[in-house]
Amino acid sequence: MKKNKSVAILVIVLAAIVGFSYYASIILSSTGKGEGQNISLGLDLAGGVSITYQVEDEDATSEELSDTIYKLQKRVEAYSTEANVYQSGDDRICVEIPGVTDANDILEELGTPGSLQFADPEGNVFMTGDDVVDAQPATYKDDYNNNAYCVELVLSDSAAETFSEMTGANIGKQMPIIYDGQTISNPTVQSQISGGKAQITGMDSFEDASNLASQIRIGSLSLTLSELESQVVGAQLGQEAISQALKAAAIGLALIMIFMIAYYLMAGVAASIALVIYSVLTVAVLYWFDITLTLPGIAGIILGIGMAVDANVVIYGRIREELAAGKSVFSAMKDGFKKAQSAIIDGNVTTLIVAAILAWKGSGTVKGFAYTLAIGIIISLITSLFVTRFVMYSFYGIGLKDAKFYGKAKERKTINFTKYRPIFYVIAVACIASGFIGMGVNKANGNGALNYSLEFVGGTSNTVIFDKDYTLEEIDSEMVPLVQEVTGDTDVFVQKVAGNNGVIFKTRNLNLEEREAFNKVFVDQFGVDEDTISSQTISSTISSEMTSDAITAVIIAVILIMIYIAIRFHDVRFATASVIALIHDILLVLASYALIRISVGSTFIAAMLTILGYSINDTIVVFDRVRENIHNRKKVSKEELAEIGDRSVTQTLARSINTSLTTFVMVLLLYILGVASIKDFALPLMVGIVAGLFSSVCLSTNLWFDLKTLFVKKTAKKSGK
């Protein structure tokens, strides 16, 4: 690459950094301060109302549930464009409305059924939604033989005659269809319609026809919903969380950049440039695609910064190896990028599989984490494979052609990992067994095998109204210890109520005596009027469904990853070894939940699946090297297989350690600076990162070796050959 072109590329890259950084700073500074100027914030960051409804009808169909969800979605959008309605389990509907505070009014209005009316051209209502038996979207051929879209109506027998009379008297005129006081369609009558069947034509798309059909069906829907749980989240919590998370991201990014430059020299400078572009692009993409940002979503971004380093570490490790083999700097760069590409793509695809399953099986904040994780993976691929490449070539083009600017790989003696595999297996089994023993001890002591959060076991929600606005720091230091003392619950969850100086304390289920003790603490210690203290039992009915979702998501992720690896590596033994190593990582994280008594809540699924995606990335890099070293060797002895495995792990050891270290630093900062709900997410991730490093270095290749040698006869090496 010529010097002028190299300088131009570097100038363009630096200009892009300045421009995107300024753009991202505007987005972040305006977040929460104006419509159309900020990233959409989820309920946990913007504050608002969360409601869970139980469907009382035992024979409710999936279509009726879908219609009810659509109806509620249309109604809550009047409060917030970021409102979200989704199904939970088989017979529950959750409503989340960020940025609102008038919970009681909202609850009352949402309980009011909508009304569907058919009117004549003068606006006189002659038929209601109760007269519609069914409404379905349909496709037909118009006069020009093109596809056109409509809604097909089926009316009740009693309404069919009335409808026939009204359409016959108003041919050529418009007869509006009104829902909740608003005209949702204004079709023109083409001819008299008899027989109880009709078509509403003129739809722009099948989606429009489907939405109109759903609205019409809603008008005759009579599902009964009862409120299971409602809560008001104060936005103050979200603002603090954003501030702390941004601080963690900035500190972590700075530390990683310093490490990369110190270890990889000019290649580290290129990686740092790519990381900055990754960070600001992530913020911009969240804004462009109007993705709602949640607290776990912020964790996904910060985790992504740590994971984005991985591709660069793989590339630079390869480049250094090529330099050590005596190649020129340019040839080393070219071959390094080429040889690293398969490992990078395979590792990121498997993590994308996990993100997709999270988006599918998760709900609410877990989906937010899945989206930001997927965005981070895609952007990191782009920045590492393209931005880093152009920057590296530009450095070479401006005259940095000496290997001293990039460093040479140190010759390392091959470590005999296969020799010590029995010890590694014993360590792995012992660590996992400690978790199950801990669960047994916890259960025997009456504490439960795992520390399930209120989302699993239910509990009591206690709302206290104070005469002043306490900060979260004051609540955590002055009130939470008192609540823990009188309730015996060490896992008290706190939320601020927006607008009335209220605080919600969520605890395990409290009996009457414990509730009275709870009230007495706040009356005596803080001068609260007992009449302003209220409590509500939170349903535990979602327990089995959340557990089922977690197990199902993990099983699906493992199966898909196994299939992908088997196809890519053309050997089911690679896939089998990977899955066994992944199960080890999952069980170790589960053991940490049991031994450290980490709260098992909605982020449990996200934590488990994140470990799957992260750990398999490590393993694939090692296996990619094994595949390369064994390439085109049809007959290999057991001794040669052991040597290939040991050499492959040794060659990728620096990469495994460096990647795990950078990611661990980011998650550790999340744990140190994050709010309580993020700490419960970050701690098991740190355990998982360490477990993933151990399994990828000490277990996966050894497992592959044992599986491979089951069918390989030991052969003696012939001397002199």
Side-chain angles (χ1 to χ4, degrees):
M1 186 179 289
K2 294 182 179 180
K3 186 173 182 178
N4 290 340
K5 185 177 180 180
S6 298
V7 171
I9 289 174
L10 290 176
V11 170
I12 292 172
V13 170
L14 291 176
I17 290 177
V18 173
F20 276 118
S21 297
Y22 177 71
Y23 183 58
S25 68
I26 293 176
I27 294 172
L28 290 175
S29 64
S30 64
T31 292
K33 296 183 180 179
E35 294 185 6
Q37 302 175 6
N38 53 281
I39 297 174
S40 301
L41 299 181
L43 184 73
D44 52 354
L45 296 180
V49 175
S50 172
I51 309 161
T52 302
Y53 289 109
Q54 172 76 50
V55 177
E56 298 294 339
D57 303 70
E58 295 182 0
D59 56 349
T61 66
S62 59
E63 187 178 75
E64 288 173 331
L65 280 168
S66 176
D67 288 343
T68 303
I69 290 171
Y70 183 81
K71 169 185 175 181
L72 288 174
Q73 181 71 52
K74 287 298 181 182
R75 296 176 74 82
V76 299
E77 283 176 358
Y79 303 105
S80 170
T81 55
E82 280 79 45
N84 185 31
V85 182
Y86 56 91
Q87 183 175 340
S88 176
D90 296 327
D91 56 358
R92 271 170 292 283
I93 297 174
C94 297
V95 179
E96 295 179 350
I97 313 173
V100 295
T101 57
D102 49 346
N104 292 331
D105 291 341
I106 291 172
L107 285 170
E108 183 177 350
E109 291 181 23
L110 287 178
T112 304
S115 60
L116 179 70
Q117 299 172 326
F118 293 80
D120 63 19
E122 286 73 38
N124 301 312
V125 176
F126 66 90
M127 195 172 72
T128 68
D130 294 331
D131 298 310
V132 179
V133 175
D134 193 20
Q136 296 293 339
T139 304
Y140 68 98
K141 294 292 185 180
D142 62 15
D143 295 337
Y144 301 99
N145 204 34
N146 296 321
N147 285 334
Y149 311 100
C150 67
V151 175
E152 294 183 342
L153 302 178
V154 178
L155 307 178
S156 65
D157 293 339
S158 59
E161 185 176 347
T162 302
F163 194 73
S164 176
E165 292 176 359
M166 293 301 298
T167 53
N170 293 285
I171 295 175
K173 299 179 181 178
Q174 290 182 315
M175 295 176 59
I177 301 174
I178 304 166
Y179 182 75
D180 272 2
Q182 293 186 345
T183 299
I184 59 173
S185 181
N186 205 9
T188 300
V189 180
Q190 305 292 335
S191 62
Q192 182 173 3
I193 301 173
S194 58
K197 293 183 179 180
Q199 278 189 345
I200 301 176
T201 59
M203 303 290 105
D204 292 332
S205 65
F206 187 82
E207 183 181 2
D208 287 344
S210 180
N211 289 340
L212 178 57
S214 182
Q215 284 182 294
I216 293 173
R217 290 197 303 270
I218 286 169
S220 58
L221 193 64
S222 57
L223 285 184
T224 303
L225 303 180
S226 62
E227 180 191 345
L228 269 184
E229 177 189 355
S230 64
Q231 62 183 19
V232 181
V233 182
Q236 298 93 329
L237 176 63
Q239 290 166 0
E240 179 187 357
I242 294 174
S243 174
Q244 292 296 92
L246 288 175
K247 187 184 297 184
I251 295 173
L253 188 62
L255 290 175
I256 288 175
M257 289 170 66
I258 292 171
F259 169 78
M260 293 294 288
I261 294 172
Y263 193 90
Y264 292 106
L265 307 178
M266 290 308 298
V269 175
S272 299
I273 291 172
L275 278 176
V276 173
I277 292 178
Y278 162 86
S279 302
V280 295
L281 264 182
T282 300
V283 174
V285 169
L286 288 173
Y287 175 68
W288 292 339
F289 290 93
D290 196 24
I291 294 174
T292 299
L293 186 62
T294 62
L295 206 55
I298 293 177
I301 294 173
I302 295 176
L303 178 63
I305 293 174
M307 295 176 69
V309 178
D310 177 63
N312 290 300
V313 170
V314 174
I315 292 168
Y316 300 155
R318 281 292 197 172
I319 291 175
R320 283 189 169 186
E321 287 180 18
E322 299 301 317
L323 287 172
K327 293 185 178 180
S328 67
V329 171
F330 185 78
S331 295
M333 287 183 186
K334 185 177 179 180
D335 292 342
F337 276 100
K338 182 179 180 181
K339 291 182 177 181
Q341 187 168 306
S342 62
I344 293 171
I345 292 175
D346 286 341
N348 283 277
V349 166
T350 51
T351 310
L352 273 175
I353 289 173
V354 170
I357 294 170
L358 269 175
W360 171 42
K361 296 299 292 183
S363 61
T365 57
V366 174
K367 283 185 182 290
F369 174 80
Y371 295 148
T372 53
L373 181 63
I375 288 171
I377 293 167
I378 294 170
I379 294 177
S380 68
L381 267 175
I382 295 172
T383 54
S384 60
L385 293 179
F386 296 100
V387 175
T388 303
R389 185 195 300 262
F390 283 121
V391 172
M392 289 281 286
Y393 285 166
S394 297
F395 284 163
Y396 179 86
I398 63 175
L400 302 178
K401 300 181 179 181
D402 197 308
K404 69 181 180 181
F405 293 112
Y406 308 96
K408 289 187 177 181
K410 296 179 180 178
E411 293 294 333
R412 290 186 175 87
K413 183 179 179 181
T414 299
I415 303 172
N416 195 349
F417 286 97
T418 54
K419 178 182 178 181
Y420 300 104
R421 66 186 188 282
I423 298 176
F424 297 144
Y425 293 161
V426 169
I427 293 173
V429 172
C431 290
I432 293 171
S434 68
F436 285 102
I437 293 171
M439 290 183 198
V441 172
N442 292 334
K443 195 170 183 179
N445 292 334
N447 296 324
L450 295 171
N451 180 24
Y452 290 106
S453 72
L454 300 180
E455 295 161 301
F456 276 88
V457 298
T460 302
S461 178
N462 309 275
T463 303
V464 183
I465 308 299
F466 296 92
D467 58 359
K468 72 172 190 176
D469 184 20
Y470 285 94
T471 65
L472 286 171
E473 290 78 11
E474 290 173 328
I475 295 170
D476 286 336
S477 62
E478 299 175 20
M479 301 178 191
V480 171
L482 295 174
V483 174
Q484 291 173 336
E485 182 179 347
V486 299
T487 63
D489 187 357
T490 58
D491 187 29
V492 177
F493 184 73
V494 177
Q495 293 176 319
K496 293 188 69 173
V497 180
N500 65 350
N501 298 335
V503 179
I504 299 174
F505 298 89
K506 291 187 177 181
T507 66
R508 61 171 179 79
N509 274 315
L510 304 181
N511 57 37
L512 180 60
E513 183 179 341
E514 290 168 334
R515 291 188 184 189
E516 290 176 349
F518 176 92
N519 293 354
K520 191 174 187 302
V521 164
F522 289 97
V523 171
D524 294 346
Q525 300 287 337
F526 299 94
V528 173
D529 184 351
E530 189 167 3
D531 292 337
T532 65
I533 303 176
S534 60
S535 62
Q536 176 189 14
T537 299
I538 303 173
S539 172
S540 60
T541 55
I542 62 174
S543 173
S544 60
E545 289 150 12
M546 289 192 70
T547 304
S548 175
D549 277 349
I551 295 173
T552 303
V554 170
I555 291 174
I556 292 173
V558 168
I559 291 173
L560 290 178
I561 288 172
M562 186 174 182
I563 293 172
Y564 180 83
I565 294 175
I567 293 173
R568 285 288 292 161
F569 286 81
H570 307 290
D571 190 341
V572 74
R573 283 164 291 202
F574 281 116
T576 305
S578 299
V579 168
I580 296 173
L582 285 179
I583 293 173
H584 158 271
D585 298 339
I586 292 172
L587 292 178
L588 268 188
V589 175
L590 188 63
S592 72
Y593 272 97
L595 297 176
I596 311 175
R597 301 297 288 171
I598 305 170
S599 177
V600 178
S602 61
T603 55
F604 173 77
I605 302 174
M608 284 294 191
L609 287 176
T610 301
I611 293 304
L612 281 180
Y614 180 80
S615 179
I616 194 62
N617 207 333
D618 272 357
T619 301
I620 282 178
V621 171
V622 179
F623 280 173
D624 182 74
R625 189 60 64 95
V626 173
R627 176 175 57 181
E628 179 181 325
N629 290 333
I630 205 174
H631 185 60
N632 290 332
R633 299 177 66 171
K634 294 183 179 179
K635 293 184 178 180
V636 185
S637 68
K638 185 174 182 178
E639 291 78 7
E640 289 172 324
L641 282 175
E643 191 276 332
I644 288 172
D646 292 338
R647 178 154 48 93
S648 300
V649 175
T650 303
Q651 288 172 335
T652 56
L653 185 60
R655 172 265 162 202
S656 297
I657 294 174
N658 289 345
T659 298
S660 298
L661 178 63
T662 54
T663 308
F664 188 89
V665 167
M666 294 301 298
V667 180
L668 177 62
L669 286 167
L670 264 182
Y671 180 77
I672 294 173
L673 299 176
V675 295
S677 56
I678 285 294
K679 290 179 185 290
D680 286 342
F681 180 69
L683 188 56
L685 281 186
M686 287 191 287
V687 175
I689 291 169
V690 176
L693 176 62
F694 176 77
S695 67
S696 63
V697 173
C698 302
L699 295 182
S700 57
T701 304
N702 282 327
L703 288 166
W704 165 82
F705 170 76
D706 283 331
L707 291 170
K708 190 83 171 175
T709 54
L710 283 175
F711 306 100
V712 176
K713 293 182 179 180
K714 186 174 181 179
T715 58
K717 291 184 177 180
K718 295 180 180 180
S719 58
K721 292 187 179 180

